[in-house]
Amino acid sequence: MLTIRKAEPRDVPAIHELVHHYAAKQVMLPRPLQEIYEDVWEFTVAEENGRVLGCGAIKLYSAELAEIRSLSVLPGLPGRGVGTALLESLLDEAKALQLKTVFALTLVPGFFAKAGFREVAREALPMKVWRDCLQCEKFLSCDEKTLVLDLACRSWRSADSPREVAQVSA
């Protein structure tokens, strides 16, 4: 049974392995192990039978703006709804934090578009969100798309509606 929950320090090695896998393929920025430990509270994980199958984080930039980042699923699992379940949980968290806007920088814009995100120019975001971009080796030739979601305009599923996964826990 798949469980979506907030990450704990014991999950950091698995999160680091997932992020490192996709960073090595240059589809995600690398995150040092120490940084993940420091920011573990930002992460949510998808777990099944004690094994972390995916992760994602919500990075706050202000009382109104956050980034969905490091969203990743173990290779070979696409199509099982793990990524969607993680994204929905992160969006629920953003709503609970009373954020107005979330954004994602991604190479898979279609995934986020299905959740209601729309593509915008990166320049539409405040400069402070570019901090990670400045450290990226692809900064001058970035191929990521910038997508935003206005949380006030999003239609929310009912808390009683079943998710694509069997169980969700806080």
Side-chain angles (χ1 to χ4, degrees), residues 12-25:
V12 169
I15 293 169
H16 182 259
E17 188 174 320
L18 269 168
V19 171
H20 178 75
H21 170 79
Y22 289 103
K25 294 181 177 286

Side-chain angles (χ1 to χ4, degrees), residues 60-153:
L60 297 176
Y61 284 95
S62 72
E64 297 180 351
L65 179 69
E67 176 184 10
I68 302 292
R69 68 184 197 169
S70 301
L71 185 61
S72 54
V73 175
L74 280 176
L77 291 182
R80 285 192 48 199
V82 175
T84 300
L86 282 164
L87 180 58
E88 286 295 329
S89 181
L90 292 167
L91 293 176
D92 287 347
E93 183 177 351
K95 181 182 178 191
L97 292 169
Q98 300 178 9
L99 298 174
K100 290 185 178 177
T101 307
V102 293
F103 71 94
L105 303 173
T106 182
L107 294 173
V108 287
F111 173 80
F112 289 93
K114 288 178 190 173
F117 285 71
R118 62 181 170 77
E119 191 170 338
V120 299
R122 185 165 308 187
E123 295 77 26
L125 298 174
M127 284 299 291
K128 66 182 170 182
V129 305
W130 292 36
R131 184 189 53 167
D132 288 338
C133 294
L134 294 172
Q135 299 172 22
C136 181
E137 62 189 47
K138 293 172 28 174
F139 177 67
L140 296 175
S141 60
C142 183
D143 50 354
E144 287 185 321
K145 302 295 182 194
T146 305
L147 289 102
V148 299
L149 178 66
D150 180 347
L151 294 170
C153 294

